[in-house]
Amino acid sequence: MKLAIHNSTFGFHPRWIAYCVKKGIPFKLVNCYANDLIEQLKDCNALMWHFNQGNHSDNIIAKQILFALEHTGFKVFPNFYTAWHFDDKVAQKYLFEAMGAPLVSSFVFFDKREALGWANKTTFPKVFKLRGGAGSQNVRLVRTKQECKILISKAFGKGFPKYDAWGSLKERIYKFRRGKMHFIEVFKGIIRLFFAPPYARLGANEVGYVYFQEFIPDNDSDIRIIVIGNKAFGLKRFVRDGDFRASGSGSFAYNRELFDINLVKTSIDINKRLKLQVGVFDFVFDDCNNPLIVEISYGYAHEAYDNCPGYWDENLVWHEGKTIKEEWMVDLVLKQINEV
């Protein structure tokens, strides 16, 4: 038995490699962009690849490679159930509506006339989003009908770049002023005003659709519950000052008492129903304190979760102590190999 791990210093890969070394788990590093990738995998039983929406090459081919391998019975992480809807809020809307999950009401249109007709009848504010993006990229509050119509016209005109340079720079300045980012990152943000990152520069604009979510007021934070296999842990993310967005704020709380056990149970149950290897669920709460899913992912910035004081198992039993959660992903893939 041998694992293949994409040869990268990004994301989960270094922790997967360190765990394999520590536990003596056979593995090899492979290049998932190589023409001979299939040949590289000949002596392996599974491929683990933390692909990223901010990498242009990943956007072109990662899902296709992983799902092609899985189609033949080869084990992969992330697998189809976990990754097909990754970084696609429109796909997630239909997924959660189809399964009857508690989703923030969402509205997507592929026809300009229909979208404008909806804008004339709906109430405001609404939240505008592109289908992709992380850390509150490409998310804005739409306060008026006129602003909404301008966004609709742009969506069915020249469209929106995948990278919001001004929004990113404002975010960097916000974090720098709060001591959460070095000045060099602000400088990089200024450079990005003139030179977009490759994934945005090489990729096409988002055009031909428009997507909104209902604005859920009076949330000073959101709750993120991450489920890996049958283990769950949580993080409370506070919104930015004078803003409504929590994702990417860098302001967190971890205390176990902050997380309703029923919300943990809901996350574990949905994760199981969707057959996910990893489910990263973001929740806000309506005026009756009902949890609503904003979106789902499989990836996350792992350093932020090292401070979680423990985790719940599938029976909702709490296990105290800090852990390296990414090691559970390796264990999960090994288990799936052995189940064959």
Side-chain angles (χ1 to χ4, degrees), residues 45-326:
N45 303 93
L47 170 65
M48 301 187 70
W49 182 5
H50 182 188
F51 68 88
N52 181 279
Q53 71 268 38
N55 182 301
H56 182 64
S57 297
D58 287 3
N59 285 334
I60 292 175
I61 201 60
K63 291 182 182 180
Q64 290 81 354
I65 289 175
L66 289 165
F67 301 163
L69 289 167
E70 190 177 7
H71 197 84
T72 69
F74 196 81
K75 299 301 179 184
V76 298
F77 179 94
N79 62 14
F80 176 80
Y81 286 113
T82 304
W84 74 264
H85 45 73
F86 171 66
D87 199 39
D88 191 336
K89 299 174 182 67
V90 173
Q92 292 170 25
K93 162 192 158 62
Y94 292 114
L95 174 62
F96 288 125
E97 287 180 350
M99 69 178 298
L103 173 72
V104 173
S105 295
S106 302
F107 313 88
V108 62
F109 303 98
F110 303 96
D111 178 82
K112 181 179 180 181
R113 182 177 298 178
E114 184 181 356
L116 290 172
W118 170 83
N120 282 325
K121 298 175 183 177
T122 194
T123 58
F124 293 93
K126 290 290 191 288
V127 179
F128 167 83
K129 297 182 177 182
L130 297 183
R131 67 193 306 164
S136 291
Q137 274 278 318
N138 308 318
V139 176
R140 67 181 74 176
L141 191 62
V142 183
R143 300 182 184 276
T144 67
K145 181 192 302 185
Q146 183 61 29
E147 185 180 354
C148 183
K149 288 184 173 182
I150 290 172
L151 290 170
I152 291 170
S153 294
K154 186 173 180 180
F156 292 96
K158 66 179 181 180
F160 299 89
K162 295 178 183 294
Y163 180 75
D164 178 5
W166 279 108
S168 178
L169 177 58
K170 290 176 183 177
E171 180 71 11
R172 291 168 191 252
I173 293 171
Y174 172 86
K175 290 184 176 180
F176 170 72
R177 287 175 172 172
R178 285 154 183 79
K180 297 177 181 178
M181 184 170 283
H182 195 277
F183 176 74
I184 191 65
E185 297 301 322
V186 177
F187 179 72
K188 290 179 181 178
I190 296 173
I191 298 298
R192 290 296 191 201
L193 293 175
F194 306 97
F195 302 97
Y199 79 88
R201 189 172 65 252
L202 300 176
N205 276 6
E206 294 288 309
V207 65
Y209 76 95
V210 68
Y211 175 79
F212 298 93
Q213 280 189 329
E214 199 69 58
F215 175 61
I216 310 299
D218 303 322
N219 280 268
D220 65 354
S221 59
D222 70 6
I223 295 291
R224 169 169 281 188
I225 302 293
I226 300 179
V227 184
I228 302 177
N230 58 5
K231 300 181 176 71
F233 52 100
L235 179 72
K236 184 172 186 175
R237 306 184 302 180
F238 294 98
V239 303
R240 299 158 176 80
D241 294 341
D243 203 338
F244 71 101
R245 300 169 301 164
S247 178
S249 70
S251 182
F252 311 129
Y254 300 91
N255 296 340
R256 173 187 173 188
E257 295 76 17
L258 296 172
F259 307 97
D260 186 332
I261 196 65
N262 291 317
L263 187 60
V264 177
K265 183 180 186 303
T266 295
S267 302
I268 293 174
D269 289 346
I270 294 175
N271 199 73
K272 188 175 297 184
R273 287 177 62 192
L274 293 179
K275 303 178 182 179
L276 307 179
Q277 293 165 315
V278 175
V280 181
F281 300 93
D282 295 340
F283 293 93
V284 293
F285 299 84
D286 66 16
D287 55 6
C288 296
N289 206 36
N290 297 311
L292 301 171
I293 300 172
V294 178
E295 60 185 83
I296 185 177
S297 178
Y298 87 91
Y300 55 92
H302 53 273
E303 296 91 347
Y305 302 86
D306 291 340
N307 291 323
C308 292
Y311 68 91
W312 295 271
D313 64 25
E314 61 184 335
N315 297 314
L316 303 180
V317 176
W318 175 258
H319 299 260
E320 188 76 22
K322 295 182 179 180
T323 52
I324 300 175
K325 287 79 177 170
E326 297 69 42

Side-chain angles (χ1 to χ4, degrees), residues 31 34-43 65 68-69 74:
N31 178 8
N35 183 60
D36 68 344
L37 172 63
I38 304 304
E39 185 66 30
Q40 293 181 52
L41 297 174
K42 283 291 179 63
D43 61 340
I65 289 175
L69 289 167
F74 196 81

